Amino acid sequence: MVEPRPQSVDPALRDALTRRLHSRSVVSGQITLPAAPGLLDAYVTMCDDIFAAVGRRFSAEQLVHFRSLLDDQLKQAFAASQRSNVVIAYDAPIGTVLNYHVTPEWSSVEGTYENWIASREPPLFGTEPDARVWELACGATDPGAFRVLDIGAGTGRNALALARRGHPVDVVELTPKFADMIRADVARESLDVRVVQRDVFATTDDLRRDYQLILLSEVVSDFRTTKDLRGVFELAAKCLGPAGRLVFNTFLARNGYAPDDAAREFGQQMYTSIFTRDEMAAASARLPLQLVTDESVYDYEKAHLPDGAWPPTGWYAEWVSGQDAFDLDRELCPIEMRWLVYQKTS
């Protein structure tokens, strides 16, 4: 019978042994994170913890340098696009050295949606028109005299349904493949839809001045500034006919919540641009537009979509509740997507 060897486990010696183990490891990896400069501290802490876990903890001086480099790349990426990342590639040979490289990368909004088309199974946004949009349109007894402008129509989910009801519809769509998809459906069904592929803010010369409804569904959530909001209100004031209505959905901060830069930046990365009601009021100020309804998208669509159509997609319910930006229960989220309807007053 072999006698067990005597053992002593000294914590200090075990730590020294573990440090040597780490120095003999060979490590490589890549961290890809959405770029939100206001969350710099969170990025630094995450990376410092990862590097420390493989035995390459930064000194105070090294951490300052890493933070400065990461801050610069985050700002560069986010300034270029709200569809941006920072990529942190690192490798550590045997020893105590850690090599890393921080790279910004980004794509345009239209490029992101082109990738959606290529990589996701349809329907991308659901099959039914938005219940709020449909209700407004169905208030018209003569669809042929009720012209609609659909800005950012996507796959045409609203525009095609309205055209089938008899509404003449103009579409302005930024993403070329979306515009082509709508044109193909229009040609196949011989619908009264005109498709314009461009940035809606480039000009209004090719738009009418007698629309009875202007809609933006899941579009304002991609806006970056209140200047974009103002642009929509100015376009509506110019292009709506008498008593015409503007309807859009947008994420609004709940009363008492003032979003900071980090929340706004990360929200933009999550297709969840956040505005306050004060910002909305300022953007529409001194224009002949009056807010007539302000309703929860979650509540309205859940209550009014046809049976079996809720939620429109697997991601929709959490997204409109603000949960793509905040890891909280719906009732605790400080933001919510709302349907806002404005009417032209003169």
Side-chain angles (χ1 to χ4, degrees):
M1 182 175 178
V2 178
E3 295 292 330
R5 297 177 182 177
Q7 298 185 33
S8 60
V9 180
D10 183 320
L13 292 177
R14 179 54 58 88
D15 286 346
L17 197 67
T18 303
R19 289 197 301 274
R20 184 57 68 199
L21 168 67
H22 285 164
S23 73
R24 298 297 297 177
S25 65
V26 177
V27 180
S28 64
Q30 179 173 296
I31 308 166
T32 301
L33 295 165
L39 289 172
L40 175 63
D41 288 342
Y43 296 118
V44 171
T45 298
M46 177 188 297
C47 293
D48 192 32
D49 288 345
I50 291 172
F51 299 155
V54 294
R56 270 66 168 190
R57 181 174 290 282
F58 282 160
S59 67
E61 183 179 350
Q62 289 171 328
L63 197 61
V64 168
H65 179 265
F66 176 74
R67 179 188 179 88
S68 175
L69 176 63
L70 184 56
D71 183 39
D72 179 68
Q73 298 303 300
L74 284 168
K75 290 175 178 174
Q76 184 181 145
F78 186 73
S81 172
Q82 71 269 50
R83 301 289 170 265
S84 58
N85 294 318
V86 287
V87 180
I88 306 160
Y90 61 91
D91 69 89
I94 291 176
T96 59
V97 173
L98 176 75
N99 304 307
Y100 63 87
H101 188 68
V102 183
T103 307
E105 59 178 28
W106 56 82
S107 65
S108 64
V109 172
E110 57 268 36
T112 299
Y113 287 119
E114 296 264 357
N115 183 62
W116 277 32
I117 296 169
S119 61
R120 299 191 180 194
E121 289 292 325
L124 297 181
F125 306 103
T127 57
E128 297 291 329
D130 291 306
R132 192 70 187 94
V133 172
W134 190 249
E135 187 273 338
L136 289 170
C138 287
T141 54
D142 180 7
F146 192 92
R147 291 187 172 274
V148 178
L149 173 62
D150 188 350
I151 298 173
T155 58
R157 180 172 49 89
N158 286 305
L160 296 172
L162 294 173
R164 292 178 188 125
R165 187 175 184 268
H167 297 275
V169 180
D170 285 351
V171 163
V172 180
E173 172 53 51
L174 179 64
T175 303
K177 286 188 178 180
F178 281 156
D180 290 343
M181 291 168 65
I182 297 171
R183 288 191 185 103
D185 287 333
V186 167
R188 183 167 52 251
E189 299 184 44
S190 299
L191 297 173
D192 187 2
V193 178
R194 180 173 67 104
V195 181
V196 180
Q197 193 271 301
R198 63 169 174 81
D199 182 344
V200 71
F201 296 125
T203 181
T204 59
D205 290 348
D206 53 357
L207 301 180
R208 301 178 63 97
R209 300 296 186 266
D210 61 348
Y211 297 110
Q212 287 303 298
L213 181 67
I214 295 178
L215 72 100
L216 298 90
S217 177
E218 303 177 17
V219 172
V220 177
S221 52
D222 266 328
F223 283 4
R224 304 202 72 179
T225 67
T226 53
K227 181 180 178 182
D228 296 328
L229 284 178
R230 181 68 180 184
V232 166
F233 285 121
E234 289 177 344
L235 183 151
K238 180 183 291 187
C239 296
L240 281 173
R245 294 190 174 188
L246 165 69
V247 58
F248 60 88
N249 45 17
T250 183
F251 286 95
L252 291 180
R254 296 186 189 272
N255 291 337
Y257 173 60
D260 61 8
D261 288 345
R264 291 180 186 270
E265 291 162 0
F266 189 68
Q268 288 184 27
Q269 291 282 8
M270 298 295 106
Y271 306 84
T272 306
S273 295
I274 304 168
F275 297 101
T276 66
R277 283 184 169 78
D278 285 345
E279 288 171 333
M280 203 61 63
S284 61
R286 300 177 302 281
L287 292 173
L289 296 167
Q290 180 181 0
L291 179 65
V292 291
T293 63
D294 175 348
E295 298 162 295
S296 163
V297 169
Y298 183 102
D299 293 339
Y300 194 96
E301 298 300 308
K302 185 177 182 180
H304 293 90
L305 279 172
D307 290 343
W310 173 264
T313 66
W315 47 262
Y316 186 87
E318 289 190 355
W319 175 62
V320 301
S321 301
Q323 291 171 293
D324 280 10
F326 294 92
D327 185 14
L328 292 168
D329 291 340
R330 177 173 175 262
E331 296 75 15
L332 299 177
C333 271
I335 63 172
E336 180 189 29
M337 183 171 253
R338 309 283 296 182
W339 278 119
L340 303 183
V341 179
Y342 291 79
Q343 185 164 24
K344 190 170 182 180
T345 56
S346 64

